[in-house]
C-alpha cells in the first residue's frame, strides 16, 4: 500500500513540511524564552567588593587608613585590631572570597552572622568566624610547654566568637578544625567558598570542603572582615543570597543604622 503522504500533491507536502517547521520553531522560541526567564530568576553571585572603593562596607573600630584599595585589591594593614562590616545583613548565602597574607604568621578572618558591633572591652565582634591564618602562625605561638598548636588550626578553623554558639563537626574544644591541610602560605592566594544556611556553615578551602559547624545560635547578621595585626589582601569577594529560612528574632543580630 502506498503511504498517504506520498499520494499528496508535491505542493501540499511542501506546505505541510513548512507548517511543521514553523510549529517546531515557535515551540523552540517559547522554550528558549521560558529558560531565559527561569535563568534570570535563579540566584546569582553579586560582588561585595567593586575593586575601586569601599562602597558597601562600614568601618566599625579601625582607623581611616586601615582599609584601602590598590590594583583592584582590598588591602588591610592589620592595624589596629578590629573589623569593618557589610552595610546589610545576610541570612542564607554562598560566599566566595580570595585572600593572601603578606607576612609570616599573619592573622585575619571573616565573620558571618555577626552583630557588626564590638562589645565594650573587646576588639572583635560576636559572630561566626571563618579563620584566615598564615601557616607560620603555629610556629610563632607555641604552647607554654613548647609544643605547637595543631597545624589544622591554620587551615580554616571555624568557631563562634564572643558568645555565638555552634556545634563543631571536627571538634577542637568548642572550635572545628579542618580535616585536611589546604591553605597556602605567605604571598599565595587562597580561595574560600563558604556555605551558610540555617545555622550550618561548610567551608571549602582551595577547592575542597574540609570543615563545618552546625546549630549556630545566630543565623542572620552582618559580614565582617578582620584586621588583626598583619597585612592581608582580598579580591573577588562575591555573595549569592539564598531563600530565607525560619529564623526567629532571637536568632537574628540587631539591625544597625
Amino acid at each position: 500500500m502506498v503511504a498517504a503522504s506520498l499520494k499528496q500533491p508535491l505542493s501540499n507536502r511542501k506546505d505541510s513540511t513548512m507548517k511543521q517547521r514553523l510549529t517546531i520553531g515557535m515551540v523552540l522560541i517559547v522554550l528558549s524564552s521560558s529558560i531565559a526567564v527561569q535563568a534570570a530568576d535563579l540566584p546569582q553571585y553579586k560582588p561585595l567588593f567593586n575593586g575601586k572603593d569601599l562602597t558597601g562596607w562600614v568601618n566599625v573600630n579601625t582607623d581611616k587608613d586601615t582599609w584601602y584599595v590598590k590594583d583592584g585589591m582590598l588591602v588591610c594593614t592589620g592595624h589596629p585590631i578590629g573589623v569593618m562590616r557589610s552595610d546589610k545583613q545576610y541570612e542564607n548565602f554562598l560566599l566566595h572570597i580570595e585572600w593572601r597574607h603578606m607576612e609570616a604568621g599573619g592573622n585575619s578572618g571573616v565573620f558571618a552572622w555577626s552583630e557588626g558591633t564590638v562589645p565594650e572591652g573587646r576588639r572583635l565582634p560576636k559572630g561566626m568566624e571563618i579563620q584566615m591564618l598564615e601557616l607560620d602562625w603555629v610556629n610563632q605561638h607555641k604552647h607554654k610547654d613548647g609544643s605547637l598548636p595543631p597545624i589544622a588550626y591554620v587551615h580554616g578553623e571555624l568557631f563562634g566568637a564572643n558568645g555565638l554558639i555552634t556545634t563543631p563537626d571536627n571538634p577542637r574544644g568548642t572550635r572545628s578544625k579542618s580535616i585536611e591541610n589546604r591553605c597556602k602560605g605567605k604571598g599565595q592566594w587562597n580561595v574560600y567558598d563558604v556555605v551558610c544556611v540555617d545555622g550550618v556553615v561548610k567551608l571549602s578551602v582551595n577547592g575542597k570542603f574540609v570543615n563545618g559547624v552546625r546549630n549556630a545560635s545566630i543565623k542572620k547578621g552582618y559580614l565582617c572582615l578582620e584586621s588583626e595585626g598583619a597585612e592581608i589582601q582580598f579580591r573577588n569577594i562575591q555573595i549569592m543570597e539564598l531563600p530565607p529560612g525560619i529564623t526567629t528574632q532571637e536568632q537574628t543580630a540587631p539591625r544597625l543604622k
Side-chain angles (χ1 to χ4, degrees):
M1 182 181 290
V2 179
S5 61
L6 295 178
K7 293 181 180 180
Q8 296 178 7
L10 183 59
S11 60
N12 289 347
R13 275 185 274 160
K14 288 183 176 179
D15 290 343
S16 177
T17 301
M18 183 61 71
K19 289 179 180 178
Q20 290 176 356
R21 289 176 177 174
L22 287 173
T23 301
I24 292 172
M26 292 175 66
V27 170
L28 289 174
I29 290 172
V30 171
L31 287 174
S32 297
S33 299
S34 176
I35 291 171
V37 170
Q38 292 177 22
D41 291 339
L42 292 174
Q44 304 288 329
Y45 272 106
K46 298 179 180 179
L48 281 172
F49 167 56
N50 62 20
K52 300 177 181 178
D53 55 40
L54 300 181
T55 298
W57 294 91
V58 179
N59 184 23
V60 176
N61 64 331
T62 58
D63 289 343
K64 187 176 180 180
D65 58 356
T66 299
W67 307 88
Y68 64 93
V69 179
K70 179 181 179 182
D71 299 329
M73 298 179 297
L74 174 58
V75 180
C76 173
T77 66
H79 304 282
I81 293 175
V83 296
M84 70 172 182
R85 67 169 175 85
S86 59
D87 62 2
K88 62 173 288 188
Q89 292 190 350
Y90 296 95
E91 182 178 354
N92 294 335
F93 59 89
L94 307 179
L95 174 67
H96 177 93
I97 184 167
E98 300 174 16
W99 58 274
R100 65 177 178 181
H101 277 293
M102 304 308 291
E103 302 176 34
N107 191 346
S108 185
V110 56
F111 287 78
W113 300 327
S114 170
E115 290 188 346
T117 57
V118 177
E120 186 175 353
R122 297 182 180 270
R123 294 183 288 186
L124 298 174
K126 179 179 180 179
M128 173 66 233
E129 181 164 356
I130 299 104
Q131 185 77 270
M132 296 171 173
L133 287 175
E134 202 281 327
L135 302 184
D136 199 51
W137 193 94
V138 294
N139 298 319
Q140 298 181 20
H141 295 80
K142 296 179 181 179
H143 294 309
K144 291 181 179 180
D145 62 2
S147 63
L148 299 178
I151 189 65
Y153 180 65
V154 305
H155 289 269
E157 191 159 63
L158 302 173
F159 59 94
N162 291 324
L164 189 147
I165 300 170
T166 70
T167 302
D169 287 358
N170 315 302
R172 188 179 80 87
T174 59
R175 300 182 174 212
S176 188
K177 62 176 187 255
S178 294
I179 58 175
E180 185 174 308
N181 302 335
R182 297 187 59 80
C183 279
K184 301 174 185 178
K186 181 180 70 171
Q188 300 180 78
W189 286 103
N190 291 281
V191 178
Y192 275 8
D193 287 293
V194 192
V195 180
C196 296
V197 176
D198 196 29
V200 173
V201 178
K202 296 292 184 180
L203 172 63
S204 167
V205 177
N206 293 323
K208 185 180 288 187
F209 281 99
V210 294
N211 205 357
V213 297
R214 59 196 185 278
N215 302 326
S217 56
I218 301 296
K219 302 192 294 185
K220 182 178 180 179
Y222 297 94
L223 291 170
C224 291
L225 294 177
E226 180 183 1
S227 168
E228 197 167 357
E231 181 180 337
I232 185 171
Q233 300 176 353
F234 301 92
R235 69 181 185 187
N236 200 16
I237 309 174
Q238 299 185 53
I239 193 166
M240 179 190 294
E241 293 190 72
L242 301 173
I246 309 302
T247 301
T248 67
Q249 190 65 36
E250 291 73 22
Q251 296 169 325
T252 303
R255 190 171 296 278
L256 304 173
K257 295 182 179 179

